[in-house]
Amino acid sequence: MTGAKRHPARGLETNGTIPPQRSMRAIAQDRYGDAEVLHEAHLPIPVPRDNEVLVRVHAAGLDRGTWHVMTGTPLLMRLAFGFRGPRNPVPGLDLAGTVVGMGSAVTGFAVGDAVHGFGQGTFAEYAVAREDRLAAKPASLDFAQAAVIPVSAATALQALRLGRIAAGQRVLVIGASGGVGSYAVQLAKALGAEVTGVAGPAKQDLVRTLGADHAIDRSREDFAERTGHYDLIVDIAGNPTLGRLRKALAPKGTAVIVGGEGAGRWLGMGRQFRAVALSPFIGQRLAMLASAQRAADLEELAGFIESGAVRPHLDKSFPLAQVPEAMEHLVAGKARGKIAIII
C-alpha cells in the first residue's frame, strides 16, 4: 500500500480518498414501510472492523431481499434486523467499488483494488464488507454490471448446486425473468441442462435471450399441466402449491424453493417448511435454499462471466437519490433482470 496513511481517529489504512469531513451521502430509513420511508441523508462514514474492508461504492444492486428488510416482512425477520426499525438505517447488500481502507486483519486486498461482493448498507458513498465476502471485480464488467451479481447470481448458483444439477437434465426455472432467475437460466444452460423458463407475457423475449430452450407464458399456460416432467425445478419468488410442483417433477426429481412472495405476513416460509417435512416420505426431493454470502461463489461465478457463458442483464440504472423510484419499479414487477444504483 504505497502512499497509504492512517486516517485520523480511525486506525485503518487509507489512500487519502476518504473526505476530511468524515460524512457521506446515503439513503436511510428510520422505520419499516414502503418506498416512502427511504430518504437521503448525510451519515458518518462507517469504520471497518479488523476483518472488514472499507469500499468507495460506485454502484450497488437492488434485490428482493432489500425490499424485505425495508418493509420488515415477514415479521419474524425483525428478530434479526430490529423490532421498530432496522438497526442499520442504510439498506443495500450488493456493491461494486474501490477499496479505500481496511481493518488490521485484512490481508487479501489493497487500497485501490476494484472489488464487488456483499456489503452492509451499500446505498451510500461508502460501505464496509467482510474480507471473505468480497472478490476482485471481473475485468470484463463495469461497476454497474459487477454490482448486480453478488446476491442474485450467488443465490442462483447455490440453488442449482442444492438441486444437484447435471448435464442433460430438464430444468424448469419459475421466475426466469427476475434477478435470480436470469442467472439461473444462464447457469443451468452453461452446465449442460435443457432449460424452460416461466415468466409473464411481456418478458418472454428476455427469457429466450437469456438462452432458455423453452419459455412458458404464466398468464396462458400452467407449467404443471405440460406433458413430460422436469428433473429439477428452481422456484424463485413464486408461490405454486407443493402439489403443482410435484406434478411437474419427475418421480425422482428435485424442487428447490428459493423464495416466495405473498406467503404469509408472520413467517413467510410456511410452504418451504412443509416441503422439507414432506420430502423424506416421498420419492421426489423437496428442498429450501438458505443462501449464503461468500467470496468463493463470486470467484466461481467469475469463471462463467469471463468465458461469456453468464452476463448480468441490467434492466435500468438509477442514481442514489432515486432509490425510492427504483424500489417501486422492482415491486411493480417491471424489472427485466437486475436494477443498479449508481453512486
Side-chain angles (χ1 to χ4, degrees):
M1 283 185 285
T2 303
K5 61 182 180 181
R6 290 279 171 182
H7 192 272
R10 280 188 138 70
L12 65 145
E13 295 290 344
T14 80
N15 66 347
T17 58
I18 300 177
Q21 69 271 23
R22 304 181 189 175
S23 67
M24 64 179 184
R25 291 173 56 238
I27 294 297
Q29 66 176 106
D30 305 314
R31 66 187 192 280
Y32 293 119
D34 294 326
E36 67 268 13
V37 304
L38 302 174
H39 58 88
E40 195 166 350
H42 281 81
L43 299 173
I45 295 174
V47 179
R49 297 176 180 173
D50 289 348
N51 65 338
E52 292 179 335
V53 175
L54 180 64
V55 179
R56 171 61 174 95
V57 183
H58 301 309
L62 179 60
D63 63 276
R64 270 283 177 176
T66 302
W67 175 84
H68 281 292
V69 174
M70 179 188 76
T71 60
T73 56
L75 297 178
L76 182 65
M77 70 184 296
R78 299 191 186 190
L79 292 174
F81 290 97
F83 285 102
R84 297 181 181 275
R87 294 188 184 94
N88 181 359
V90 181
L93 299 171
D94 285 325
L95 65 77
T98 305
V99 174
V100 295
M102 63 202 69
S104 60
V106 174
T107 59
F109 296 100
V111 169
D113 287 349
V115 297
H116 74 148
F118 309 92
Q120 303 170 34
T122 61
F123 293 168
E125 291 180 308
Y126 296 87
V128 294
R130 279 176 31 180
E131 180 180 18
D132 61 359
R133 294 180 180 178
L134 284 178
K137 180 182 75 67
S140 62
L141 302 182
D142 61 29
F143 283 106
Q145 292 172 314
V148 299
I149 289 172
V151 170
S152 294
T155 299
L157 179 65
Q158 291 169 31
L160 294 172
R161 190 185 292 142
L162 178 60
R164 301 168 187 168
I165 189 172
Q169 287 185 331
R170 299 185 70 221
V171 175
L172 179 71
V173 178
I174 303 173
S177 63
V180 177
S182 63
Y183 289 115
V185 169
Q186 295 179 79
L187 286 166
K189 281 297 297 179
L191 293 168
E194 178 186 336
V195 182
T196 299
V198 180
K203 301 176 182 179
Q204 295 293 295
D205 60 330
L206 171 60
V207 174
R208 293 187 177 89
T209 298
L210 293 169
D213 300 285
H214 315 283
I216 296 176
D217 180 348
R218 68 184 180 206
S219 70
R220 302 180 59 184
E221 185 178 0
D222 185 349
F223 69 84
E225 298 300 329
R226 276 204 164 193
T227 57
H229 297 90
Y230 298 97
D231 303 294
L232 171 61
I233 297 177
V234 181
D235 176 22
I236 305 160
N239 203 22
T241 64
L242 296 183
R244 289 176 62 214
L245 287 177
R246 293 191 60 202
K247 186 174 182 180
L249 267 182
K252 297 294 183 181
T254 296
V256 177
I257 302 175
V258 176
E261 305 305 329
R265 178 172 172 78
W266 289 91
L267 184 61
M269 299 179 66
R271 186 171 60 111
Q272 288 94 314
F273 290 137
R274 291 195 302 274
V276 172
L278 176 64
S279 186
F281 304 101
I282 60 176
Q284 297 161 325
R285 179 169 167 257
L286 307 179
M288 62 178 284
L289 176 69
S291 59
Q293 300 178 356
R294 51 192 175 225
D297 288 335
L298 299 178
E299 291 162 358
E300 183 174 348
L301 286 164
F304 289 102
I305 291 165
E306 297 301 353
S307 73
V310 173
R311 300 294 291 181
H313 189 90
L314 190 56
D315 173 46
K316 281 190 174 183
S317 296
F318 292 81
L320 182 64
Q322 292 182 12
V323 165
E325 290 87 341
M327 187 69 76
E328 290 171 351
H329 184 75
L330 175 71
V331 173
K334 297 178 181 179
R336 295 164 57 90
K338 291 292 298 181
I339 297 171
I341 307 301
I342 306 301
I343 303 164

